[in-house]
Amino acid sequence: MKAIIFNGSLERRSESTSGKISQYFAERVEKSGFETEIFSLADSGIPLFDVTLTKTPLAVERMTQLFLEADIHFWLAPLYHGSIPGVMKNCLDWLEVTSGHYQPYLTDKMIGLVCWADGLHAMQGIHTMDAVAKSLRAWPVPFSVPVIRTALFDHEDPTKISSLYSDKFDKLISIATTKRIVKGH
């Protein structure tokens, strides 16, 4: 089984918020027995979506292959001005190149959603990703994690995810990897 962690941020530093969350997910999902890959948008080379191109860009072919091969997706995004980053949506728009496939887009893929914000509005990013996932024929996990960034990291050790959010991330991973909600977890 394969999982992809889609880091929808343009941050490149491994110690960045998106880097730390991506790494946390990769480690935990691998422990669940999944082959895991982090797809970092900042390093992907995905161009602006252009339906007039006669040949699909190589970066898009690679992205599409990774997204289609993965059984489970985890989409991670910061909230920018009330939504996910435009480059993340642009990347997902490129899945239009699969429209002619027998099972186009992300048909029947399980998608876990995480969004973080400096305030209380991260749920807006979750709603956006949920709508996009459903329009791509995927199944968003019925548990998502909107994050208040100031509470994300442990106050004693700011290099670690706080227990508040590690518990929530673990619950999301558990539901996505087992396809069941365990009471009390």
Side-chain angles (χ1 to χ4, degrees), residues 1 18 24 40 54 81 93 97 113 128 147 149 167 183:
M1 299 280 286
S18 63
Y24 183 92
S40 179
T54 56
H81 309 288
D93 287 343
V97 301
L113 307 173
T128 300
V147 175
R149 206 167 71 77
D167 289 347
K183 198 172 187 176

Side-chain angles (χ1 to χ4, degrees), residues 17 21 115-122 146-158 160-165 169:
T17 298
I21 296 172
C115 184
W116 58 93
D118 286 332
L120 301 172
H121 301 286
V147 175
I148 300 170
R149 206 167 71 77
T150 55
L152 177 60
F153 298 107
D154 186 289
H155 293 296
E156 305 292 317
D157 183 358
K160 291 185 180 179
I161 304 288
S162 69
S163 62
L164 170 69
Y165 284 108
F169 292 164

Side-chain angles (χ1 to χ4, degrees), residues 5-180:
I5 291 98
F6 178 22
N7 176 350
S9 170
L10 287 179
E11 295 177 295
R12 283 194 161 86
R13 300 170 296 117
S14 60
E15 69 278 0
S16 67
T17 298
S18 63
K20 287 181 180 179
I21 296 172
S22 295
Q23 197 56 47
Y24 183 92
F25 269 79
E27 290 169 7
R28 290 297 209 275
V29 173
E30 283 175 3
K31 285 181 182 176
S32 297
F34 284 76
E35 181 182 323
T36 305
E37 181 157 348
I38 297 172
F39 181 81
S40 179
L41 191 53
D43 299 323
S44 69
I46 300 294
L48 290 175
F49 182 58
D50 184 352
V51 294
T52 65
L53 293 178
T54 56
K55 184 171 179 350
T56 303
L58 187 59
V60 172
E61 287 179 9
R62 180 183 181 278
M63 179 271 303
T64 302
Q65 181 180 358
L66 289 172
F67 278 45
L68 294 180
E69 287 177 352
D71 302 290
I72 298 173
H73 291 222
F74 293 96
W75 293 358
L76 316 175
L79 187 74
Y80 291 157
H81 309 288
S83 189
I84 61 174
V87 294
M88 183 178 187
K89 175 67 169 63
N90 175 72
C91 183
L92 293 166
D93 287 343
W94 272 107
L95 289 168
E96 187 61 28
V97 301
T98 69
S99 65
H101 291 192
Y102 174 70
Q103 288 194 311
Y105 313 113
L106 298 177
T107 300
D108 292 333
K109 303 290 183 187
M110 181 79 68
I111 315 264
L113 307 173
V114 175
C115 184
W116 58 93
D118 286 332
L120 301 172
H121 301 286
M123 201 62 202
Q124 289 174 223
I126 299 286
H127 289 307
T128 300
M129 290 187 288
D130 182 80
V132 172
K134 287 175 179 171
S135 72
L136 292 170
R137 303 179 185 179
W139 297 96
V141 174
F143 178 84
S144 56
V145 185
V147 175
I148 300 170
R149 206 167 71 77
T150 55
L152 177 60
F153 298 107
D154 186 289
H155 293 296
E156 305 292 317
D157 183 358
T159 64
K160 291 185 180 179
I161 304 288
S162 69
S163 62
L164 170 69
Y165 284 108
S166 63
D167 289 347
K168 291 179 183 196
F169 292 164
D170 291 348
K171 183 174 186 171
L172 174 60
I173 292 165
S174 174
I175 294 168
T177 57
T178 65
K179 294 186 173 75
R180 60 175 203 227

